[in-house]
Amino acid sequence: PVQVARFRAERPGLTDVSFFADIPTARLLRNTDVVQTKLETGLFVSDPGRRLLIAARDSETVRLRQLDAVSHRSWHRTFAPGEYLYRVEARQHASGNRARGLSAVNVPLFAEGQFALSDLLVARRIAPRQAGAKPRSRDDLFIVPNGAMSFSRNDTIFVYYETYGLTPDSTGQARAKVELTLRVDQIQRSDRVQAVLGSVLDRVGLTAEGDDR
């Protein structure tokens, strides 16, 4: 799973794009007796004609501490507006297993003076880097993104976005109202009986599945 977040860049005419991936380390080490190994990951971005524009590779030693462990990777690049294709790959040496996530991404232009919202960045944690200081940009925040954008029960969901092009009033203040809606796409049930009964109740509209909150 890969989360992509797009923001206005400091240089006019460009857009900052961040790629956040949750590499399924535990699945890559399945059926091995290895608890520590080297993990290779890479981000590859091409244009619609498949011409490679970015190839960023790295490797590090990871240690498996839990059965559902993932390794977090992030890449930050600046793009001209347009259509791109990205691919995130991972390879684990001990097992030879691989993982891949790929998709197309549209990079918009956040023009100066034009009202717009950035992408919604979904994170496991967001906090000021310096206690007591008022953050003025993303660089002033400690952000732990959630590449899979999935959470367990009782987890706290952190969200971050930026607003551009607000027009100030006579007092120099600019205001905007943003509505955030959560939709229950799917209810995961571990028990087989609950899953069968729950799917029936989902179809007749007696559960929260499909609801906006």
Side-chain angles (χ1 to χ4, degrees):
V2 181
Q3 179 181 179
V4 180
R6 302 160 297 180
F7 303 94
R8 189 170 71 183
E10 292 185 1
R11 292 174 55 192
L14 298 176
T15 301
D16 285 340
V17 183
S18 295
F19 302 87
F20 306 106
D22 281 357
I23 310 297
T25 312
R27 288 169 53 193
L28 292 176
L29 288 171
R30 186 179 297 166
N31 300 325
T32 71
D33 57 359
V34 176
V35 294
Q36 180 173 308
T37 184
K38 179 181 288 187
L39 181 67
E40 289 185 349
T41 55
L43 169 71
F44 307 92
V45 181
S46 61
D47 62 18
R50 304 284 180 174
R51 182 170 62 94
L52 186 62
L53 304 175
I54 294 174
R57 299 178 176 88
D58 68 84
S59 64
E60 75 169 6
T61 300
V62 296
R63 184 173 180 82
L64 187 62
R65 295 184 175 90
Q66 55 194 44
L67 294 178
D68 59 349
V70 297
S71 296
H72 311 298
R73 293 290 188 276
S74 62
W75 298 267
H76 312 279
R77 296 292 188 273
T78 301
F79 291 85
E83 297 284 341
Y84 298 90
L85 303 170
Y86 75 82
R87 187 174 81 253
V88 174
E89 294 189 352
R91 180 177 65 174
Q92 195 280 314
H93 284 273
S95 65
N97 291 331
R98 299 168 182 261
R100 172 185 287 182
L102 68 163
S103 184
V105 58
N106 173 265
V107 177
L109 174 63
F110 298 106
E112 291 284 345
Q114 179 182 349
F115 176 74
L117 291 178
S118 71
D119 281 337
L120 194 70
L121 172 57
V122 182
R124 293 181 172 88
R125 184 187 174 207
I126 299 178
R129 288 189 179 275
Q130 185 176 349
K134 183 179 180 180
R136 297 187 179 275
S137 72
R138 273 172 287 137
D139 294 336
D140 298 330
L141 294 170
F142 176 72
I143 301 176
V144 182
N146 187 326
M149 292 189 289
S150 63
F151 295 84
S152 300
R153 180 175 300 189
N154 297 324
D155 283 351
T156 300
I157 303 175
F158 292 84
V159 294
Y160 173 88
Y161 66 90
E162 296 177 356
T163 308
Y164 312 118
L166 287 177
T167 302
D169 59 20
S170 58
T171 65
Q173 299 294 316
R175 295 175 176 84
K177 180 180 179 180
V178 177
E179 182 178 285
L180 175 64
T181 301
L182 301 180
R183 174 177 290 272
V184 182
D185 286 333
Q186 183 180 15
I187 300 174
Q188 295 182 352
R189 302 175 176 92
S190 56
D191 181 84
R192 180 173 177 81
V193 175
Q194 290 180 358
V196 174
L197 178 60
S199 64
V200 174
L201 297 176
D202 292 340
R203 284 196 292 271
V204 296
L206 295 180
T207 67
E209 188 169 277
D211 289 354
D212 289 340
R213 299 296 175 93

